[in-house]
Every structure is written in C-alpha cells, then in structure tokens.
Amino acid sequence: MTETFIHTFTPREIVSELDKYIIGQHDAKRAVALALRNRWRRQQVPEELRDEIAPKNIIMIGPTGVGKTEIARRLAKLSNAPFLKIEASKFTEVGYVGRDVESMIRDLVEIAINMVKSEENKRVEFKAREIAEERLLDLLLPPRTGPHPSDGMHTGEKPLEIVGEKKTAPSTRERLRQLLRNGSMDERYVDIEIAQTAMPMFEIFSGSGIEEMGVNVKDMFSNILPKKTKHKKVKIPEALEILTQEEAQKLIDMDRVVKEALKLVEQGGIVFLDEIDKIAGKDQSHGPDVSREGVQRDILPIVEGTKVNTKHGMVKTDHILFIAAGAFYVSKPSDLIPELQGRFPIRVELDSLGKEEFVRILTEPRNALMKQYKALMETEGVELDFSEDAIEKIAEIAAQINEKTENIGARRLYTIMEKLLDDISFKAPEMSDPKVAITADYVEEQLKEFVEDEDLSRYIL
C-alpha cells in the first residue's frame, strides 16, 4: 500500500507543479524538487547502501509571506506524503513545562494513520455500503419469525430463508431496495442504534514527559469501559451513511493500517519546522529564551536519526525530510549549534516580493486571490470585473504599505482585498446590478484614507 503514496515526478515536473500555485522563488523550488527526487533515487539503490543515504534537509531563509510554508505544503501534497507544520518556538527542552520535540513525530504518525485509513476506507466502501444497505432493509422490513436475516452477512452468505415467511417477501424486499436506491424514501425517518464509548470525566494535562501517557490512559479506558449504544432518529440517507461508516470500521484491518503508516512516516514523512530562527542564538541568563539552545540539542537527535516511542510503536526518524524556515532578522543560520547546522546541508534564500510579483500573485496561480473573490461573489449572483489598472493599483498599494510598515509579503494582499471589497461583500445579497466594475479609481477611493495615514494603515492594513 505504501507504494501508492510514492510518486516519481522528475525535478522539472515538481517545479512545474509548484509554479501553478507559487510565484517566483525558483531557487527554493529547485531545492525542494531535488530533495523529493532524491527520496525516489534512494529507493532504487542497492539495499546495503540505501540506509546510508541521509535526506537532504533544507533551511529556507526569507521574510514572512514570501511562500516558505506554501512551498513545503504543496510539496507534501504533490508527493502524497504525511506532512506536519510545527513552530520550533513551541518546544521546550526536557525539564521545562511545554511540548517536547518528540511530539512532532507522534503527531506525524497520527497524520499518516489517518491518510492510510482514508485509503482503506475507499477500498472497502463498496462492500461496507452493501452490508449497510442490508442492515437498513432489516430495519425497514423486519422479519416476523425465524433467525435474523443479516446472519452470515459479514461472511458473504445469503440471508437464511425465514420459516413461515410469505413467498412474496423476497420480492417485497427487492422492491424496497429499488425505492431505497432511487431516492424515493429519502424523506422517511428511521430509528437506528449507534455505538458509543463512555469516557471518564477527567483531564490529562499535556506536558513534557506525560503527553504520551495521557493518550495511552485514554486509550486504556476506552478499551476497558463497556460499549454503550444510543438510539437516533434520522432520515434514511443519513442512516445509510452512518451504517456504512460503522461497517467500514469493521472491515478495516487497523493493525495493517498502523504498520503501513509507520513505514510511510519513516520513508516519506515531511516535517516543516517554522520559526527556526526563534531558537537560534545564544541562551540568555533569564527570560523566556532560557531554553533555546536546549531545544536545539533536543531537536538534533530527531534530525540526525533516532527512534521515537509512540503509542503505535517505535518510529525511526533517519529518513524523514526536515524543512526548516525562518526570517533570520535578528539571528542567522550560523547562530544554530554547529551539529544542527550540519544536518541541514541545503540553504536557500527566498526573495522579497514587490509590485510585479503581487500582480502575478493576484492573477496567475490556480488559487489566485482574484479567482477566489470572484467565485465567492458569484454565489450571491454578483460578477466582479477587475480592470488591469485596478490590479496594478492594488499591487502598488500593497508594496507601498509593506515598505512603510512591517513587510508581511503577500499576506498584505489579503488585508487590502478584504478592505477593498468590504462594502460590496456586505451589500451583495441586496444588489440589483449583478455586474460590478473594479477600476483603479475605485481602488484609490476605497483605500486612499489608509494609504495617506500611516498610523491608520498600521492598524487596518
């Protein structure tokens, strides 16, 4: 199953796919494309050498809002790999209250299990729906005597013939099945029984050393406590979905799912460590940064390759790809401890974004902001028409405000677009004219006050 998650894109194809969503940053795209391709290459080398090849971990250096996170997220989606984004500043070294660094691997395992389980759900969906349909028909047409018609159902056997049942019963059941499938009974309600697990009323506080214990205690209680059921009256389509999910859970081999998920994490997992610059630099003698170097030393074995204990078993981190990112305004990559620097052999600097890049970001990507806002307004029957000079003006204002205040990159476009279309968005359901033209004059009129008043723009834009 794990092979279904491994794609063999060439570096050029990976960059081409990233270009559909991210403007510019060619060096960063090349770096991640090579890192991803090297994973596939490692799988092709002889087995005795395969374990010796370390992942090509990357540090991305650049201001906020230039595409660091988006590149990593799109890369994970492209490779269909378990992906976790976590801020390095959330961790504390062992001995302090807070999250320990090993929790990121445990989180990655849970993500992988959900991925593999979702694939398994798709595989058993048809069989689960068949069984759920039979259960629903049993509720709609209960037998009068004899054994339960669903006996032997899970083994694929036909329901036993019911003693004393009229010969017309099978045809009645089939007619009912046809009504169920063609939607004629969608408005009818049915009473179904749903399994519930009683949980004790207590809280396990998450912290260094006891986070995993908290999860295990909850799992232990869920297995010990008796399963309870409750009756719920729902429409037939909803009942069919609930019963299908129940039957799918029974058909899925969770031991196999966990085994595949652990393998997927070890061979294909990607961890995006954001704000790595926040833990760089020398420790201070006091204040909240007292454990920065300690966090680096705790992260080091995870990146180097170690075994992390999770509730599903041990996970080797030797071949997990780590992509670190940070603005590095105050500190620099060389401020990281030397051992950690050595585990990130690839460093790429991302460019700041200006007016030209903003124009492209607004219009070119598949998920471009203009396309998003047009689609949102179309739901209200309003058609937005942005002129070229309006797009230029929006990009110009975004670049101008980034220069005057804090540079937050492309995220500035979101705040400007929200303010620009605030009035239209509010009045959209009541507008008589379905077409709205957004011109450069309109943009200037709506945003003039904020552009001229620097203090106001600091608060609003």
Side-chain angles (χ1 to χ4, degrees):
M1 187 194 303
T2 308
E3 285 73 18
T4 61
F5 291 94
I6 298 172
H7 297 283
T8 55
F9 292 107
T10 66
R12 194 179 299 277
E13 287 171 337
I14 294 168
V15 171
S16 178
E17 285 296 314
L18 293 174
D19 282 340
K20 293 175 183 177
Y21 297 96
I22 301 145
I23 297 300
Q25 314 303 0
H26 188 67
D27 290 346
K29 290 173 184 173
R30 278 177 63 99
V32 297
L34 289 172
L36 187 61
R37 183 65 177 182
N38 280 332
R39 290 190 140 185
W40 175 81
R41 290 168 179 162
R42 190 180 72 83
Q43 297 294 333
Q44 314 310 311
V45 302
E47 195 168 341
E48 62 271 14
L49 187 59
R50 194 179 302 166
D51 288 342
E52 303 300 323
I53 299 173
K56 306 300 182 278
N57 297 327
I58 301 164
I59 291 183
M60 292 185 186
I61 305 161
T64 185
V66 296
K68 300 189 295 293
T69 306
E70 188 67 5
I71 287 173
R73 191 169 66 86
R74 291 290 172 185
L75 183 75
K77 196 170 184 180
L78 189 62
S79 62
N80 208 9
F83 173 74
L84 175 72
K85 177 188 179 293
I86 191 80
E87 285 75 35
S89 54
K90 284 186 176 180
F91 297 124
T92 61
E93 68 174 307
V94 175
Y96 288 84
V97 175
R99 296 204 78 185
D100 62 288
V101 295
E102 290 187 352
S103 65
M104 62 181 161
I105 304 302
R106 294 195 287 267
D107 291 344
L108 194 63
V109 168
E110 294 300 327
I111 289 167
I113 286 173
N114 288 335
M115 284 178 65
V116 179
K117 191 176 176 183
S118 177
E119 287 295 313
E120 280 290 282
N121 256 318
K122 292 175 187 174
R123 192 178 65 83
V124 303
E125 186 178 11
F126 182 76
K127 180 65 177 174
R129 200 165 191 87
E130 279 187 335
I131 300 171
E133 190 178 85
E134 294 300 330
R135 283 181 61 186
L136 193 53
L137 288 171
D138 291 344
L139 292 171
L140 296 169
L141 188 68
R144 281 179 279 179
T145 56
H148 197 279
S150 64
D151 288 348
M153 197 159 39
H154 293 277
T155 61
E157 299 172 15
K158 293 181 180 178
L160 296 173
E161 189 176 343
I162 301 166
V163 179
E165 183 83 359
K166 291 183 179 180
K167 290 184 179 180
T168 57
S171 61
T172 303
R173 188 178 179 89
E174 289 308 311
R175 284 201 302 272
L176 203 59
R177 191 191 306 277
Q178 289 302 319
L179 291 172
L180 183 65
R181 289 178 177 177
N182 65 27
S184 300
M185 305 177 68
D186 284 359
E187 295 304 313
R188 181 171 169 178
Y189 284 85
V190 64
D191 191 34
I192 61 171
E193 207 171 41
I194 302 172
Q196 280 189 315
T197 305
M199 287 300 293
M201 296 296 291
F202 66 88
E203 182 74 25
I204 297 290
F205 290 99
S206 177
S208 179
I210 65 167
E211 184 176 2
E212 186 70 10
M213 183 191 76
V215 176
N216 287 335
V217 168
K218 286 183 179 179
D219 285 347
M220 180 183 70
F221 272 99
S222 66
N223 291 328
I224 293 173
L225 292 171
K227 297 285 189 297
K228 290 187 176 182
T229 59
K230 73 169 185 177
H231 285 271
K232 190 176 182 182
K233 200 166 188 175
V234 294
K235 286 186 176 180
I236 281 180
E238 187 182 346
L240 187 60
E241 286 302 317
I242 292 170
L243 295 175
T244 300
Q245 287 300 315
E246 278 190 10
E247 294 302 328
Q249 293 300 316
K250 296 174 188 175
L251 292 169
I252 292 173
D253 181 355
M254 281 307 295
D255 290 337
R256 182 166 170 260
V257 166
V258 169
K259 184 180 176 182
E260 290 293 335
L262 294 181
K263 184 180 176 184
L264 187 60
V265 166
E266 291 180 345
Q267 302 301 323
I270 299 175
V271 174
F272 183 75
L273 271 172
D274 204 2
E275 297 183 355
I276 192 79
D277 55 318
K278 301 294 193 301
I279 61 166
K282 300 296 181 185
D283 281 344
Q284 306 298 321
S285 58
H286 61 277
D289 297 327
V290 69
S291 64
R292 284 188 302 178
E293 193 167 312
V295 173
Q296 291 183 59
R297 297 198 179 280
D298 286 348
I299 288 176
L300 179 61
I302 306 286
V303 178
E304 278 183 329
T306 187
K307 287 184 177 180
V308 175
N309 187 26
T310 75
K311 68 175 182 176
H312 302 289
M314 300 296 287
V315 176
K316 290 174 68 178
T317 67
D318 301 62
H319 301 291
I320 293 174
L321 176 64
F322 289 88
I323 301 175
F328 289 99
Y329 288 133
V330 179
S331 58
K332 47 191 181 293
S334 59
D335 289 332
L336 293 166
I337 59 173
E339 299 91 337
L340 195 58
Q341 288 181 52
R343 288 294 165 175
F344 287 89
I346 302 172
R347 297 180 191 177
V348 289
E349 191 167 353
L350 284 82
D351 304 319
S352 294
L353 303 176
K355 178 185 172 181
E356 288 182 13
E357 290 80 16
F358 287 158
V359 170
R360 295 182 62 199
I361 289 168
L362 286 168
T363 55
E364 289 183 21
R366 285 189 175 179
N367 59 339
L369 272 180
M370 293 297 179
K371 296 173 185 175
Q372 292 180 30
Y373 280 99
K374 282 182 179 181
L376 284 171
M377 289 300 101
E378 279 172 9
T379 62
E380 301 278 8
V382 175
E383 183 185 344
L384 294 179
D385 181 24
F386 289 88
S387 65
E388 286 187 20
D389 57 350
I391 295 169
E392 291 268 349
K393 195 69 181 175
I394 293 168
E396 183 185 318
I397 290 171
Q400 186 180 337
I401 294 174
N402 272 347
E403 286 175 11
K404 286 183 179 178
T405 61
E406 189 75 23
N407 186 355
I408 60 171
R411 292 193 177 95
R412 186 72 67 189
L413 293 172
Y414 285 88
T415 59
I416 286 175
M417 289 293 289
E418 280 296 320
K419 196 63 193 171
L420 175 66
L421 300 175
D422 178 74
D423 196 46
I424 295 172
S425 185
F426 187 81
K427 295 176 180 176
E430 306 149 10
M431 291 175 72
S432 55
D433 189 356
K435 193 167 184 177
V436 179
I438 308 293
T439 63
D441 291 338
Y442 180 84
V443 173
E444 196 163 350
E445 182 188 339
Q446 293 294 316
L447 301 176
K448 182 180 178 183
E449 182 184 0
F450 306 103
V451 175
E452 290 177 351
D453 190 336
E454 190 174 324
D455 289 333
L456 190 58
S457 65
R458 284 181 185 274
Y459 285 98
I460 307 299
L461 299 179

